[in-house]
Amino acid sequence: MSETEVQPRAYRRPVSTWWWLEKRSYFVFAMRELSSVFVAWFVVFLLMLTYAVGRGDDQYQSFLDWAATPWVVVLNLVTLVFVVLHMVTWFNLTPQATVVRLRGQRVPAWAIIASQYVGLAVVSAFVIWLVTR
Amino acid sequence: MTKRRVEPILWLLFSAGGVLAAVFLPVLVVLFGLAFPLGWVTPPSHDHLHAVLGHPLTALFLFGLFALCLAHWAHRFRYTLYDGLQLKGSKGLITVLCYGGAVLGSVVSAVVLATVV
Amino acid sequence: MADSIRLQVSRYRPEEGSAPTLQEYDVPLRKEWSVLDGLNYVKDHLDSTLSYRWSCRMGICGSCGMSVNGTPELTCGTFLADLAPGPVRVEPMRNFPVVRDLVVDIGDFMDKLPRVKPWIIRDDEPEPDGEYLQTPEELDEYKQFSMCINCMLCYSACPVYGLDPDFIGPAAIALAERYDLDSRDRGARERLDVLIEHEGVWGCTFVGECTTVCPKHVDPAGAIQRYKLKAAKESVKAFLLPRGAR
């Protein structure tokens, strides 16, 4: 804590538990952090898929049926929204967090962001090709 | 001399997981979470998916993806509980639950992925 | 344009011991008047008991930071006409103890600042004659971070600092980065030892509000993330390399 003596009767404004609802930017931040829960959920979902595939065609088909039940679909729709939020915020903050240099020149923020979307497109195309070919 | 600290390592794992989640999860959620179950796209046959998942390179990559995504979750969620809900009082418990959960999840990932290889 | 605007000013009188209350004043609304001009009008014509800090009126001394309608601002650079028709809520900067009315206790920041050693560190013996030379490119490396005026708006915007006053905070870390990036400085290691602690960079969750509110475009949030990367690289080295090579 501070070594300077705080005035005995100085007023300290308490921080509300709901401080992250006080401003739009705080709320977006809280949602960004919450996206990690959906990242973890989808890892669990993919593990269940892998497990079902390992146990044979019947198990795989019944996993797909279960994944089509309304509550799982809704959960995965919400997951998609949060995963996209994570992706957009992560890409946007990268140029602020890292300095990239090419031949001594600092790469501008827009170029860093754009190259991440190019990477996303390449990866997505590869995954789609690998899974559906 | 730099003191050995675990916090920077956790942050590196968090960041690596954040990059992988941002790049790989959107397409995986669209395909396996929505398009295949709802029949927008014909799901891959069991044989094909088994062959893809069973390739050692795929399994190794997926293990890395799962473990780092879980590390990403553990680190971020820990701070969400600290700051968002002001649960600093139960710091120790939160730390154990978050990072412990990620370690446990990584072990389960290894076991499950081993069943298809 | 209406000819007056209402200020809702937070009043706190420690001798009365109760929580702050809002007091309303109507001040002239003029195109060129800032919130600080409005407060000066109150002090000169309506209520001489109002306490607040100010000095230069031109956005460089960093004294007049307050919370204007909930946002940390330099009141000398925030214009009443932009906030019309009002009312305009003027409160002390958040996250600091309030001494009286709009005056906060900045002792915590003053204690933290020297901990990151924000000065050029050299161990040349003897000191060279004349100046340490620097090219314009080397100046550009750190110039942005040297624009900080210690106004503490970033501390007031930072929820992490509000929740954990031990966090060393945005401006101090940005200033550490300013000296680390200075080609004349040799003190990066000493600063890293301070910032690699939990109260150093790791409390930051990259909310980014410090950068949003900074009147000088210093980007403390960016500085903190870069520091994390720097600290992480050093830590990995410490784990991997044998003692002698570090």
Side-chain angles (χ1 to χ4, degrees):
Chain A
M1 275 302 282
S2 154
E3 287 158 30
T4 306
E5 218 177 295
V6 172
Q7 309 282 323
R9 280 187 289 182
Y11 173 75
R12 265 204 172 273
R13 195 176 183 274
V15 179
S16 152
T17 309
W18 308 102
W19 61 268
W20 44 276
L21 289 174
E22 281 169 16
K23 257 190 211 175
R24 207 186 102 87
S25 53
Y26 288 170
F27 178 73
V28 173
F29 159 76
M31 290 303 106
R32 184 190 89 191
E33 301 298 288
L34 200 60
S35 70
S36 63
V37 173
F38 294 91
V39 167
W41 151 248
F42 208 70
V43 169
V44 172
F45 181 87
L46 289 175
L47 277 173
M48 293 193 292
L49 168 73
T50 311
Y51 184 67
V53 170
R55 298 222 296 166
D57 194 18
D58 291 349
Q59 291 295 318
Y60 172 55
Q61 292 307 330
S62 56
F63 176 85
L64 286 178
D65 291 341
W66 172 77
T69 50
W71 75 268
V72 182
V73 171
V74 169
L75 180 57
N76 280 337
L77 262 177
V78 177
T79 301
L80 180 63
V81 171
F82 274 94
V83 164
V84 169
L85 175 71
H86 167 72
M87 174 194 85
V88 172
T89 51
W90 193 272
F91 286 178
N92 283 347
L93 291 178
T94 304
Q96 214 181 335
T98 48
V99 178
V100 184
R101 277 173 210 286
L102 268 184
R103 289 185 220 100
Q105 294 287 311
R106 205 170 149 178
V107 177
W110 66 264
I112 297 179
I113 296 175
S115 62
Q116 293 178 103
Y117 281 101
V118 171
L120 175 80
V122 170
V123 162
S124 302
F126 174 75
V127 170
I128 292 171
W129 170 79
L130 184 70
V131 171
T132 61
R133 87 199 143 105
Chain B
M1 192 194 89
T2 312
K3 288 172 238 169
R4 292 189 179 190
R5 300 205 167 270
V6 71
E7 195 97 38
I9 307 297
L10 295 176
W11 179 80
L12 274 183
L13 295 175
F14 155 80
S15 300
V19 173
L20 289 177
V23 174
F24 283 90
L25 283 195
V27 65
L28 291 174
V29 175
V30 170
L31 286 181
F32 290 98
L34 298 168
F36 294 151
L38 295 177
W40 301 347
V41 180
T42 318
S45 71
H46 175 262
D47 287 347
H48 176 64
L49 204 54
H50 195 273
V52 170
L53 288 172
H55 194 285
L57 277 182
T58 321
L60 198 63
F61 171 76
L62 284 179
F63 174 70
L65 178 70
F66 292 169
L68 288 171
C69 281
L70 289 172
H72 173 82
W73 161 79
H75 198 64
R76 223 174 208 185
F77 195 56
R78 176 178 75 138
Y79 280 103
T80 310
L81 292 178
Y82 279 9
D83 296 339
L85 299 179
Q86 298 188 33
L87 295 176
K88 289 210 165 150
S90 27
K91 225 168 184 170
L93 180 68
I94 292 173
T95 308
V96 169
L97 283 182
C98 288
Y99 297 112
V103 170
L104 184 70
S106 305
V107 172
V108 171
S109 302
V111 172
V112 170
L113 286 164
T115 62
V116 283
V117 176
Chain C
M1 196 159 83
D3 54 1
S4 81
I5 188 165
R6 177 155 297 182
L7 300 184
Q8 299 176 324
V9 181
S10 173
R11 302 297 307 268
Y12 174 66
R13 301 169 192 83
E15 61 277 10
E16 289 173 16
S18 49
T21 52
L22 287 181
Q23 191 165 343
E24 300 196 329
Y25 303 99
D26 289 320
V27 301
L29 176 57
R30 306 215 175 117
K31 192 169 79 108
E32 67 277 16
W33 269 25
S34 64
V35 173
L36 180 61
D37 290 315
L39 292 174
N40 283 341
Y41 181 88
V42 173
K43 180 94 176 168
D44 291 345
H45 299 283
L46 304 177
D47 186 348
S48 61
T49 66
L50 182 65
S51 300
Y52 53 99
R53 281 200 188 99
W54 62 287
S55 179
C56 77
R57 292 165 289 121
M58 50 198 288
I60 198 65
C61 75
S63 310
C64 68
M66 296 172 206
S67 172
V68 178
N69 288 339
T71 306
E73 305 269 16
L74 292 182
T75 47
C76 69
T78 308
F79 287 85
L80 290 172
D82 297 332
L83 304 167
V88 179
R89 195 159 34 88
V90 186
E91 295 164 294
M93 280 196 292
R94 301 232 173 128
N95 299 339
F96 292 96
V98 183
V99 177
R100 174 182 286 275
D101 295 345
L102 300 167
V103 178
V104 295
D105 183 345
I106 61 172
D108 185 51
F109 176 66
M110 300 314 281
D111 288 337
K112 280 175 177 159
L113 197 50
R115 269 198 250 157
V116 300
K117 307 188 182 185
W119 52 81
I120 287 180
I121 298 175
R122 299 284 299 211
D123 45 14
D124 309 299
E125 286 291 343
E127 288 194 14
D129 296 334
E131 315 81 359
Y132 295 114
L133 297 179
Q134 190 165 58
T135 66
E137 290 74 29
E138 287 168 336
L139 172 66
D140 283 342
E141 280 299 303
Y142 68 84
K143 194 170 175 199
Q144 176 191 18
F145 298 113
S146 74
M147 305 308 280
C148 175
I149 57 173
N150 298 349
C151 66
M152 292 166 285
L153 292 189
C154 51
Y155 283 77
S156 157
C158 175
V160 175
Y161 178 63
L163 291 162
D164 180 6
D166 289 340
F167 175 43
I168 198 152
I173 302 174
L175 279 166
E177 184 74 350
R178 175 250 175 275
Y179 285 94
D180 272 18
L181 291 173
D182 191 320
S183 59
R184 300 164 296 181
D185 180 79
R186 301 286 178 269
R189 170 47 48 94
E190 290 177 42
R191 292 186 197 100
L192 187 67
D193 284 342
V194 176
L195 292 177
I196 205 168
E197 300 290 337
H198 179 76
E199 297 74 27
V201 290
W202 304 114
C204 169
T205 45
F206 208 169
V207 182
E209 276 295 286
C210 50
T211 294
T212 310
V213 302
C214 179
K216 294 292 170 187
H217 311 292
V218 169
D219 191 10
I224 299 172
Q225 311 320 310
R226 283 179 223 176
Y227 230 108
K228 285 181 186 169
L229 193 59
K230 197 159 25 174
K233 275 183 195 159
E234 290 301 320
S235 302
V236 171
K237 265 193 229 162
F239 271 102
L240 296 181
L241 295 180
R243 278 174 183 278
R246 295 211 286 266

